[in-house]
């Protein structure tokens, strides 16, 4: 049979129909002709339907509209993301919130994934169990700032600003300690003790304003690393920061600030002037016990001395110093116990009655056995009773008082979650200013000195005969800066030149002190019509 259409392969017009399949094939080359049985829609909705193509069908006997397919894909995506965040029990509440926001239309695309993450964050925040925003952004696959903007839109749309709770940093610490792989091998009892110690220190850090104006997760990482080191658990700050999606550099900065603040608090100890950031871990048991007792004291009550804390520290340290062997700490950067002997009386062994009584030391036989085995392992020559050539050598014995002293009590209210008002009323022995505020004040004072120096230089140039003052430059004249590209020699750098330019253009000194140079240059220099 012939047709008006040509073969798709050989362009011939001779075709034959197969008796079995009914398909049309070319008589010359045998190619099957496509779209042979297609029938166009004729006559509107009630017209004849095509054989192979029908709009809105997904299979035999099923018909879904566009809205139904969109809702199915949206619900599948909600279940996937909530499962990824571990919020399977909250999926219905999150779905209901999304339905209220979109008026039951839901959606599809990248923006809808961001909306799901935002609603998940808001739901958990309302339940006082907030999720880290970085973790939600990582699960959704978007930027933290994009997620933050969507969260603000959700909060404003649902009118939740008035009763939206603050971020619970204590819950974040407990959640990180529970879910982190760094602590999965730690014993359950020790993990519970670490949690209480972490809650105590994190609330002290909040009282010391270490979390003011900062992201909470780096401080959580810093506290957990310190508590792990205090309990002799090896945790790397890089691994823990990666798990909570926090910047390693920021975590290190928070850890440094925590150590420095603890050193300030440790000045109340008798050997406080010897405490540094390198040996604060060794002194932390004494410091934390002091802060515990201090926080439990009533307002106006006289501060108890360290002798009343339940540990006879004088006898313990004298017993360590009595030996002829040198007792050294196993940690790097530690100081010897002999450095602290200046704070205790140096009586002889005969003048110290009762020091030989082991029961007074409250050291268990198991602990003594462990210390003895450790001593023999590290000093093989101790098996030999001869007093030969090794008799004059000083042996090294690693002693850690934390192994023989249960210093943690956990009786303070700071070991439990407190409201911010209750937390600020507690006294832990030291009060500090927010580090960001202190740093800002220091920078403002430095800019003030630069402004005064710039005014003197301008005055000297404009009135050379009347200017008799000397330039009070911040940089030490003896430390001349090297010539570098983009820098000005003679103790004047780019910041001084910018300040001079702003002063010449009449910018107020109070605005210059804030340090927003780019904004001030755009407003007063480049848009002023004069250069």
């Amino acid at each position: 049979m012939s047709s008006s259409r040509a073969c798709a392969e050989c362009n011939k017009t001779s075709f034959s129909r197969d008796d079995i399949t009914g398909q049309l094939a070319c008589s010359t080359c045998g190619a099957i002709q496509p779209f042979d049985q297609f029938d166009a829609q004729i006559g509107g909705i009630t017209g004849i339907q095509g054989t192979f193509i029908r709009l809105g069908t997904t299979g035999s006997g099923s018909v879904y509209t566009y809205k139904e397919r969109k809702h199915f894909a949206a619900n599948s995506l909600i279940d996937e993301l909530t499962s990824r965040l571990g919020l399977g029990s909250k999926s219905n509440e999150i779905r209901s919130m999304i339905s209220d926001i979109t008026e039951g239309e839901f959606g599809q695309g990248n923006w809808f994934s961001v909306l799901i993450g935002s609603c998940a964050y808001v739901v958990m925040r309302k339940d006082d169990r907030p999720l880290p925003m970085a973790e939600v952004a990582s699960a959704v696959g978007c930027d933290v700032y994009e997620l933050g903007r969507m969260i603000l839109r959700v909060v404003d749309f649902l009118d939740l600003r008035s009763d939206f709770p603050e971020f619970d940093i204590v819950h974040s610490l407990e959640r990180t300690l529970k879910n982190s792989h760094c602590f999965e091998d730690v014993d359950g009892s020790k993990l519970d003790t670490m949690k209480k110690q972490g809650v105590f220190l994190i609330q002290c850090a909040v009282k010391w304003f270490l979390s003011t104006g900062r992201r909470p997760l780096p401080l959580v990482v810093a506290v957990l690393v310190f508590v792990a080191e205090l309990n002799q658990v090896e945790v790397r700050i890089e691994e823990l920061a990666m798990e909570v999606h926090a910047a390693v550099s920021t975590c290190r900065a928070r850890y440094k600030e925590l150590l420095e603040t603890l050193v300030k608090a440790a000045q109340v100890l008798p050997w406080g002037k010897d405490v540094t950031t390198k040996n604060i871990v060794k002194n932390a048991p004494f410091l934390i016990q002091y802060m515990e007792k201090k926080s439990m004291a009533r307002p106006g009550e006289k501060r108890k001395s360290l002798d009343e804390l339940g540990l006879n520290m004088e006898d313990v340290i004298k017993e360590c110093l009595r030996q002829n062997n040198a007792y050294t700490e196993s940690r790097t950067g530690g100081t010897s116990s002999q450095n602290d002997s200046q704070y205790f009386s140096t009586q002889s062994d005969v003048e110290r009655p009762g020091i030989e009584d082991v029961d007074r030391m409250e050291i268990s036989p198991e602990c003594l056995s462990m210390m003895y085995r450790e001593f023999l392992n590290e000093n093989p020559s101790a098996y030999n009773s001869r007093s030969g050539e090794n008799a004059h050598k000083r042996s090294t014995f690693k002693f850690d008082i934390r192994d023989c002293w249960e210093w943690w009590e956990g009786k303070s209210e700071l070991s439990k979650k407190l409201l911010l008002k209750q937390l600020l009323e507690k006294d832990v022995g030291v009060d500090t200013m927010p580090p960001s505020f202190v740093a800002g004040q220091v920078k403002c004072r430095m800019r003030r000195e630069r402004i005064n120096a710039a005014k003197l230089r301008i005055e000297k140039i404009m009135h050379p005969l009347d200017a008799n003052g000397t330039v009070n430059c911040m940089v030490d004249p003896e430390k001349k800066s090297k010539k570098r590209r983009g820098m000005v020699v003679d103790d004047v750098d780019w910041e001084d030149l910018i300040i001079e330019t702003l002063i010449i253009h009449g910018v107020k000194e109070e605005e210059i002190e804030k340090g927003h140079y780019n904004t001030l240059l755009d407003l007063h220099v480049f848009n002023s019509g004069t250069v």
Side-chain angles (χ1 to χ4, degrees), residues 75-87:
N75 288 324
S76 300
L77 185 59
I78 291 174
D79 293 336
E80 178 185 353
L81 291 180
T82 52
S83 176
R84 193 180 303 173
L85 291 171
L87 305 177

Side-chain angles (χ1 to χ4, degrees), residues 215-274:
R215 295 184 179 182
L217 287 183
L219 181 60
V220 170
V221 173
V223 171
L224 287 179
V225 171
F226 182 82
V227 171
E229 189 175 1
L230 188 61
N231 290 271
Q232 301 176 0
V233 177
E234 294 184 2
V235 174
R236 295 185 58 189
I237 193 171
E238 296 85 359
E239 297 178 358
L240 191 57
M242 187 178 301
E243 287 189 7
V244 300
H245 306 281
V248 179
S249 58
T250 308
C251 295
R252 292 185 183 277
R254 297 292 90 79
Y255 184 73
K256 181 180 178 181
E257 291 178 355
L258 178 64
L259 295 184
E260 292 175 349
T261 309
L262 289 174
V263 169
K264 293 180 181 178
Q267 300 306 309
V268 298
L269 299 176
W271 58 91
K273 65 178 182 180
D274 292 335

Side-chain angles (χ1 to χ4, degrees), residues 170-184 186 190-199 220 224 227-228 235 240 243-244:
V170 175
H171 174 266
S172 181
L173 182 138
E174 294 175 348
R175 183 175 182 270
T176 303
L177 186 63
K178 179 181 178 181
N179 300 333
S180 176
H181 297 289
C182 299
F183 303 99
E184 58 184 5
V186 182
K190 178 179 286 190
L191 196 66
D192 185 64
T193 302
M194 291 176 60
K195 183 180 72 172
K196 293 181 180 180
Q197 294 173 359
V199 172
V220 170
L224 287 179
V227 171
V235 174
L240 191 57
E243 287 189 7
V244 300

Side-chain angles (χ1 to χ4, degrees), residues 147-166:
L147 179 66
R149 289 191 293 267
M150 183 64 77
I151 291 174
L152 289 178
R153 294 177 63 182
V154 170
V155 172
D156 291 337
F157 182 84
L158 299 177
D159 195 16
L160 298 176
R161 282 187 177 270
S162 58
D163 56 349
F164 203 56
E166 296 290 337

Side-chain angles (χ1 to χ4, degrees), residues 121-147:
Y121 179 86
V122 172
V123 167
M124 298 304 295
R125 184 80 172 264
K126 288 173 59 180
D127 292 344
D128 287 333
R129 294 185 298 169
L131 290 173
M133 192 178 296
E135 180 179 347
V136 178
S138 177
V140 172
C142 68
D143 187 58
V144 178
Y145 302 100
E146 182 181 2
L147 179 66

